[in-house]
Amino acid sequence: MDETPRWALPLLFAGQAQKEVFHNEALVLIDALLHGRAESADAASPPTDPMPGQCWVVAAGADGGWTGQTGAVACWTDGGWRFVPARAGMMFDIADRGHRIFHDGAVWRDGAVRSDGLYHNDERVVANRQGAIAGPEGGAVIDVEARSTLLSILGVLRAHGLIGS
């Protein structure tokens, strides 16, 4: 075995010539993957002027220098493009989306926490916090049980930060 099983980082061997080449290659890959951040996951063509250290998740229809790399993480280095195949559990913050994506073992998916709310199966289930809702009061007939129930619901919504007080 001459590479690590998960990320294919090159391993060093006793008596190996030019160990620094293998060591540096491993460091470049670690640098790209550790606390991953990518510029976009929607680009299918390489940018014209990338900076060393910038990464992209290659979108479908990849062309140019990214041909055949759909779904991989493409990182620009001093030595050109380095590609890391996606694996289950891989996560990247995506700059132009403003939220995290993760790989489920088959495809990249948007994360649950996004700037406009909390999502479950790509359906927003919690939106931005709304203003306060006044508690029930007044009326000709007061239903004590209904008022108590409404106050309990409002209390829970406030306690969870879903509405203001």
Side-chain angles (χ1 to χ4, degrees), residues 16-124:
Q16 181 178 17
Q18 296 183 328
K19 289 182 182 183
E20 69 278 2
V21 172
F22 294 90
H23 178 75
N24 289 345
E25 180 65 19
L27 291 177
V28 167
L29 292 172
I30 290 168
D31 186 57
L33 297 171
L34 188 64
H35 302 295
R37 178 164 173 87
E39 304 304 312
S40 180
D42 301 310
S45 300
T48 56
D49 198 19
M51 300 292 294
Q54 287 184 312
C55 297
W56 286 260
V57 174
V58 181
D63 61 13
W66 290 356
T67 299
Q69 298 294 334
T70 296
V73 177
C75 299
W76 182 252
T77 68
D78 288 331
W81 289 108
R82 297 283 199 294
F83 298 97
V84 179
R87 295 190 185 253
M90 193 180 237
M91 289 187 283
F92 274 81
D93 285 323
I94 305 298
D96 66 357
R97 290 188 185 180
H99 62 265
R100 182 170 286 203
I101 64 172
F102 68 96
H103 200 274
D104 69 2
V107 297
W108 288 99
R109 298 194 179 278
D110 288 306
V113 178
R114 305 181 199 172
S115 62
D116 65 339
L118 179 66
Y119 286 72
H120 179 69
N121 292 329
D122 284 330
E123 182 179 343
R124 189 170 69 181

Side-chain angles (χ1 to χ4, degrees), residues 136-142 147:
E137 61 181 64
V141 177
I142 298 175
R147 184 180 300 268

Side-chain angles (χ1 to χ4, degrees), residues 8-19:
L9 302 175
L11 296 173
L12 302 178
F13 296 97
Q16 181 178 17
Q18 296 183 328
K19 289 182 182 183

